[in-house]
Each structure stands twice: as C-alpha cells, then as structure tokens.
Amino acid sequence: MEHPYLFLTSVFGLFGLEEWAASHPHVTYMWLAMLILIIFGWLAGKSVSLVPETAQNVFEVLISGMEEFVVSITGEEGRKSYPLLITIFLFVLVGNLMGLVPSLYPPTASVNTTMALALIAVGWSHVVGVWHHGFKYIKHFLGPVPLMIPLFLPIELIAHMARVLSLTFRLFGNMMGHELVVLILLMLGGMFLAPLPVMAMGVFVALVQAFVFFLLSTMYIAGAIEEAH
Amino acid sequence: MKKETGKTIRELGYFASLGMSVALSIFIGLGLGLWLDKKFDTNPVLMFVGLIIGIIAGFSNIVRAGKKGKNY
C-alpha cells in the first residue's frame, strides 16, 4: 500500500533524488530518526550539571532507571552492553512514534530495518558469550550429554535463528499492521476521524514494542552470559 | 523500579515470545530442508528431516519453558 504523501521524499525531490527516496522511505526516515536522537543527545549533554534541571532530569531518570533494570537481569557483567541496548530502545521508540505523525513513515515498518536491528542484537549476544566464556561458549549449543551432540547442535542452531526472525517479525508486523490499519481507515472514513482510536492505541503499541525488543535483546545477552546448562 | 516488578516483566517477555519461537522454529527447519534439497537434488528426504528437526527444536522451547515455570 502506497503512502499518500511523504514529507522527506519531497525534500529529496528538491535535489533530484525523488525516485530513489520514494523507493527507500525506510532509509531516509531512519536518517531522520538518527538526527532526532543525535539532537536530543546533544541537548541533554550540552549543559550537564551536578544538580540536574528540567531536560537533564528526564534523561537521567530514563537512562539510569533502564540501566538498573538491565543490570538486574544480566548481572554486573551486562553493564558493558547497556549502551547498545538503550540505543536500540531509543531508536525503535523514536522510529515507532514517527508512524503517528502524518507524512512521516516509521522506519521500523520495513522489514529491512528490523532485520538489521535483530541481527545486531543477537549477533552482539554471541560476541558477549564468546567474550565471557572463550572457546567454552560452544557448550551452550551442545546440550547436556556428549552422545546427543548431533541431535542437539542443529536444534540449538535453529532455536538461535528463530530468535532473529521472531525479533524481526514481531516489530515489523506490529508497525506495518498499525500503518496499514491507519491508512485503510483514513481512506474509508477519514472525514469522520475514524483512524483516531487506532492512532491512540498506536502510542501504546509503539512503547510496548520498543520495550519488548529491548527486553528480549537484554535476555539474550543474559542467556549468553550465564553458565551452560 | 522494584525488583519484583522487574522480574515479572522479564518472565512476561520470555513466555510471551514462546509461541512465536515455536512457530518460527518449525518454518526455519522446513526452509533449511527445502534449501538443502534443492542443493543436493534429494527431493524430498531432507525436507522431512529438516521439518522433524524444526519441530523438535520448537517443542524443546516449550519443555524448557515448562522447566522454568516449575520454579513458581
């Protein structure tokens, strides 16, 4: 389903890139999400003081609250992975919320973006596993009995591939579904504000999906850190 | 955030993602089997092997979750 109007596509049209921008809205809007995050980060870090005020207060509560939450799941070793996790959370949140603004396209409604994020999160969990256990990390894939290795190895590999796909499709499906429902309702009854209740629920969906993505990546890292069964 | 709430949310996330991983495991096994079949021209032996491995992988997720759920 085509988006009726995309703001960034017309902006890129000014530079003669309209065709490319129209076929890659997830790329251009991902840049926008990155830009928003960078500007917010710059605003928050511009005047850091010991006694926080207004904006710094909000960011400190968000960042440190999430940090404690991550550490309570993964243990103290997981603190090193926290910057990646909070970046994923904030990026997905901003990306999801962009779907609520008319003329913006949520980058997370494209399977390319979510697949990339899921590959980064799951790939990093394996890096953390190798980092913590060295070569013994392979024990995570071999099961409890040495005799059963030929059976357990493919099973575990499939289970780990399913992690990537389930992260990908959960976020992609939710965001694309929301986008489609809003567009269809807009087409059918836009004059009577039909998409309004769905958009109100979209705020909730955006928050929950961002949090679930963040939570599951955290749990995969926690699973890589803990000892093999 | 209280410690008890954090734990509840964590378990909620784990068990909520269970259903999807079961379904996806089966499809990944099937897909791998089909791909290998095409590669080695052994239609349809590897498809069934892959499907069975996928089903076992999916259900081992349920068994693992059941073991985890016993702690409550």
Side-chain angles (χ1 to χ4, degrees), chain B:
Chain B
M1 199 181 286
K2 268 189 273 169
K3 199 151 193 191
E4 206 54 29
T5 329
K7 205 180 164 213
T8 312
I9 292 176
R10 189 175 92 197
E11 302 302 332
L12 202 65
Y14 177 78
F15 289 112
S17 70
L18 187 66
M20 206 144 167
S21 57
V22 173
L24 283 173
S25 295
I26 294 172
F27 278 106
I28 289 172
L30 181 65
L32 277 181
L34 280 174
W35 178 68
L36 286 175
D37 258 348
K38 225 180 233 171
K39 211 122 200 174
F40 299 123
D41 205 19
T42 51
N43 216 19
V45 181
L46 288 176
M47 183 193 88
F48 285 113
V49 175
L51 187 60
I52 288 168
I53 289 178
I55 290 172
I56 295 173
F59 277 84
S60 76
N61 280 332
I62 299 182
V63 173
R64 222 170 285 164
K67 272 184 195 156
K68 226 178 148 160
K70 262 186 198 161
N71 301 332
Y72 295 99

Side-chain angles (χ1 to χ4, degrees), chain A residues 1 3 95-102 104-106 108-109 169-186 194-207 209:
Chain A
M1 188 148 194
H3 226 283
N96 287 352
L97 286 176
M98 270 161 71
L100 298 168
V101 185
L104 294 190
Y105 173 87
T108 44
F169 286 126
R170 184 179 306 109
L171 185 57
F172 161 70
N174 273 290
M175 292 329 289
M176 204 212 41
H178 171 246
E179 192 76 354
L180 268 182
V181 168
V182 167
L183 275 179
I184 290 170
L185 283 181
L186 190 71
L196 212 59
V198 179
M199 287 177 85
M201 214 166 82
V203 182
F204 179 67
V205 171
L207 249 173
Q209 289 309 317

